[in-house]
Amino acid sequence: MIDPNLLIHDFDATVQRLARKKTDLEFLNRTRFLLLERRNMQQQLDEKRATMNKSSKEIGGLLQSGQTEAAEERKATVAMLKEEIAALEEQVRKAEEQVDYFLLRIPNLPADDCPDGDGEADNVIVRTHNYNEADYRDRSYRPHWDVAGDLGIYDGDRASKISGSMFSLLRGEGARLLRALVHFGLAINADTYEEIAPPHFVRTDTFTATGHLPKFEVEAYKLRDDDLWAIPTGEVPLMSLHRDEILDEDDLPRRYMAYTVCFRREAGSAGKDTRGLQRLHEFQKVELVKVCTPEQAPAEYAALLADAERPLQLLGLPYRVVDLCTADLTFSSARVHDLEVYAPGIDRWLEVSSVGVFTDFQTRRGNIRYRPKGSKKVAFTHAMNGSGLATPRVWAAVIEHGQQADGSVKIPEPLVPFMGTDVIRPKT
RNA sequence: GGGGAGGUGACGGAGUGGUUGAACGUGCUCGUCUCGAAAACGAGUAGGGCCUGAAAACCCUCGAGGGUUCGAAUCCCUCCCUCCCCGCCA
């Protein structure tokens, strides 16, 4: 969440910054009012408590010096005070509840250099790699589900039989290609990121820390009998690694990567662009996460973006970098660059990574702080993340780009060691 | 699933009703010493709220929530979590 003090002390500027995000901001005024009201009540409460504390100490003194009667008198007055305090406490608790309700629903402030916009059309294509439109004019490319289906390495029908739409089932070399991509994605980052194998089910407080709750509850799978949610991305457990911790500045930046399965309900997107591996309820992904100081953030972010691009470059896939405009930013992010791979078989740009900075939005929720060198005060760390390799869409792109006239698929060179072959051939 | 133990500051670890936000140690910061470092010695060092200068004062926080009491880290209840033993099982 954002710093509540911004609403109290810097209201107009904050509203203006949030307005760039094109979200509903009507409740900001109310939030500010509630914050002030709570503060006011808290002050009254503090005063009464101070009086009571003082009296209690005096009573202790009276009892020790044997003045029992005087002590009893004081007890009676304290009893009255206690009732007032209890009433006030109840009010403060209610106010706090309301304040929290609103605060959790205020999105992060966009970065100053984030392009303004009203929607997807205003996103800025920063650069395009390895893509020549002409390359795809002369030759016809088939969609990955046809190519892979004919090869017998993708079995969408059986996936549906087992689990319904938007699930995938890979077979043989298709399954191995998935595993190769994961290995590859981890291997190229192993020197900079610590690999984590986290839990795939997390508690509500963990899910809230990254901003996935309460805003995106309908997008998540929840276990019926336990307080556990299936993670939609490795970001969720990774970001909670240091929750409620105070780190030393020397320990920053921390860089983590995790290969996880991701679960998404994709509510409301049924039937749209869901054919093949474009959009799945369950998929595997290598996620990159960083926790750092505010000063380190710009350089770390640039490096993170480069790290997310690298696998696409090494695999020889055409892709473009899209700087999302303010309207398209996610709830928690201040700046986002999407990486989109061109899939010639379906003639679409597929989002394969969303690299975003969260400033202190998530770390405030998760209470991840650090002690700046030489400072007595602790401060919130900054956090950022991005997909290192999202398998289904990259898998699809590899298939569509590698397809050859005889129905076989050529495997990009970096994957060959993991695949054990440089081509997937039709079975005879 | 059954039985037992326990959750205290960055970390280890005292503390069973009264001025303890918390001994002691480690770590960290500053200083003395040193050419410099180590060691030694001295001092400081929880987080948050309030206060949008700093500080003081005041309030909250010893897993979370409730209760008893004039007063709770300390007593009672509920929940969460961790560890150990037994059972079951991949």
Side-chain angles (χ1 to χ4, degrees):
Chain A
M1 61 183 175
I2 64 167
D3 183 353
N5 278 321
L6 286 174
L7 291 177
I8 293 179
H9 303 303
D10 207 6
F11 186 72
D12 293 337
T14 305
V15 170
Q16 276 177 26
R17 291 183 67 189
L18 281 171
R20 296 179 64 211
K21 235 177 172 175
K22 312 293 174 196
T23 49
D24 176 25
L25 301 171
E26 280 206 6
F27 58 93
L28 286 181
N29 252 317
R30 180 156 171 70
T31 310
R32 175 184 156 86
F33 174 77
L34 286 167
L35 278 166
L36 292 171
E37 194 180 57
R38 183 194 56 175
R39 186 172 73 178
N40 183 27
M41 286 190 293
Q42 185 71 51
Q43 281 167 358
Q44 291 178 40
L45 180 60
D46 285 356
E47 279 172 34
K48 289 191 192 299
R49 277 177 171 160
T51 312
M52 189 180 80
N53 288 342
K54 209 186 286 173
S55 296
S56 290
K57 286 182 184 175
E58 284 167 11
I59 289 169
L62 289 173
L63 285 174
Q64 269 180 352
S65 59
Q67 305 178 54
T68 22
E69 270 179 43
E72 288 305 321
E73 263 173 50
R74 292 307 288 272
K75 283 191 193 182
T77 49
V78 168
M80 287 169 59
L81 196 54
K82 275 179 70 173
E83 279 179 33
E84 292 175 34
I85 288 175
L88 259 175
E89 277 175 341
E90 178 61 15
Q91 285 181 41
V92 168
R93 197 188 58 73
K94 276 188 183 150
E96 208 134 68
E97 222 167 65
Q98 289 184 325
V99 165
D100 286 347
Y101 178 89
F102 286 117
L103 282 178
L104 284 175
R105 283 162 177 79
I106 298 175
N108 197 4
L109 303 166
D112 290 337
D113 53 358
C114 183
D116 274 298
D118 295 318
E120 202 177 335
D122 294 317
N123 293 340
V124 178
I125 297 171
V126 181
R127 55 182 179 272
T128 305
H129 273 262
N130 193 26
Y131 174 74
N132 286 307
E133 209 183 337
D135 295 350
Y136 303 99
R137 235 178 280 148
D138 316 334
R139 211 188 119 182
S140 67
Y141 285 81
R142 301 160 69 213
H144 60 274
W145 53 82
D146 283 343
V147 178
D150 289 350
L151 283 170
I153 60 173
Y154 166 69
D155 191 340
D157 292 342
R158 294 238 171 59
S160 302
K161 176 172 75 177
I162 297 168
S163 298
S165 67
M166 286 200 262
F167 283 92
S168 80
L169 190 145
L170 305 178
R171 319 179 63 137
E173 284 159 312
R176 202 197 300 171
L177 175 57
L178 166 68
R179 203 153 40 83
L181 284 168
V182 170
H183 275 277
F184 169 67
L186 290 169
I188 59 174
N189 289 308
D191 54 342
T192 359
Y193 297 80
E194 181 188 353
E195 182 175 351
I196 306 289
H200 287 69
F201 295 94
V202 300
R203 291 150 45 132
T204 294
D205 51 352
T206 302
F207 216 50
T208 307
T210 34
H212 289 87
L213 286 177
K215 192 94 205 265
F216 299 108
E217 184 167 355
V218 293
E219 280 297 326
Y221 288 106
K222 170 88 165 67
L223 294 197
R224 193 193 62 194
D225 294 329
D226 297 284
D227 174 34
L228 289 172
W229 305 76
I231 59 169
T233 159
E235 168 198 347
V236 171
L238 287 183
M239 207 56 91
S240 273
L241 214 56
H242 293 297
R243 204 169 74 232
D244 294 323
E245 290 183 19
I246 299 175
L247 302 162
D248 283 336
E249 184 170 356
D250 287 339
D251 290 337
L252 299 174
R254 305 296 287 248
R255 306 184 183 96
Y256 298 107
M257 62 177 176
Y259 151 61
T260 70
V261 184
C262 305
F263 301 93
R264 299 185 179 181
R265 289 191 65 228
E266 299 293 349
S269 58
K272 194 161 188 297
D273 306 326
T274 54
R275 193 129 184 234
L277 302 183
Q278 293 181 83
R279 187 177 293 279
L280 299 172
H281 285 310
E282 176 186 338
F283 61 96
Q284 1 247 309
K285 178 159 70 72
V286 173
E287 182 74 3
L288 307 174
V289 162
K290 292 184 181 185
V291 174
C292 65
T293 69
E295 293 74 29
Q296 293 166 339
E300 290 298 328
Y301 183 65
L304 178 62
L305 184 57
D307 291 338
E309 288 182 58
R310 192 166 308 113
L312 305 178
Q313 292 167 4
L314 292 172
L315 293 174
L317 298 172
Y319 71 93
R320 62 187 187 188
V321 181
V322 182
D323 192 357
L324 296 194
C325 74
T326 49
D328 250 19
L329 290 179
T330 57
F331 182 73
S332 301
S333 51
R335 186 87 189 273
V336 173
H337 288 86
D338 274 358
L339 303 184
E340 298 180 341
V341 156
Y342 180 68
I346 50 179
D347 188 28
R348 293 176 56 88
W349 292 89
L350 300 175
E351 179 193 328
V352 292
S353 184
S354 198
V355 184
V357 242
F358 307 112
T359 59
D360 62 357
F361 189 84
Q362 286 184 330
T363 48
R364 185 182 301 278
R365 284 186 175 214
N367 200 26
I368 306 171
R369 295 171 294 174
Y370 76 106
R371 214 176 286 282
K373 266 201 155 47
S375 162
K376 270 186 72 178
K377 298 290 289 179
V378 296
F380 286 107
T381 56
H382 279 208
M384 61 190 70
N385 76 356
S387 304
L389 205 147
T391 58
R393 290 177 183 169
V394 174
W395 191 97
V398 166
I399 296 293
E400 293 192 5
H401 282 282
Q403 61 181 291
Q404 303 181 104
D406 63 356
S408 66
V409 169
K410 197 170 178 303
I411 299 299
E413 193 262 311
L415 295 179
V416 172
F418 300 106
M419 279 296 285
T421 177
D422 61 355
V423 63
I424 301 177
R425 289 199 173 78
K427 293 177 187 65
T428 46

